[in-house]
Amino acid sequence: MSNTLSLISMSTSDLAQILFSSKLQASDHPSPEQVRTAIDARLCDCDGDRSICAAFVAQEAGDHPETYAARMRWALTTVSAAYATAA
């Protein structure tokens, strides 16, 4: 299943939540292509269900509240840049 069509209808916030729940880290200094690939892979891991990814975000926020805000800011900024490049 390709998630390309479903990704088109997602907001930056939706995509950032999916990136947040992926294994990709800011310290990896990922390229825009790596970000898009990680988001697509993570969405596939969640069977295309964004609510599953959102649940992982909530769990991570509860488990590591001290790093949540910085990671989410990174995810939002990174998604914005990665999808602006793709446009």
Side-chain angles (χ1 to χ4, degrees), residues 12-68:
T12 299
S13 179
D14 292 333
L15 294 168
Q17 285 188 21
I18 296 167
L19 178 61
F20 184 104
S21 71
S22 78
K23 293 181 181 182
L24 203 59
Q25 299 292 316
S27 61
D28 296 332
H29 305 288
S31 70
E33 180 62 30
Q34 289 172 310
V35 170
R36 292 188 298 269
T37 299
I39 289 171
D40 192 46
R42 186 64 177 145
L43 191 56
C44 284
D45 291 345
C46 295
D47 295 324
D49 187 343
R50 294 182 297 210
S51 66
I52 293 172
C53 292
F56 285 120
V57 171
Q59 180 179 354
E60 187 67 20
D63 291 347
H64 303 285
E66 70 283 359
T67 60
Y68 170 79

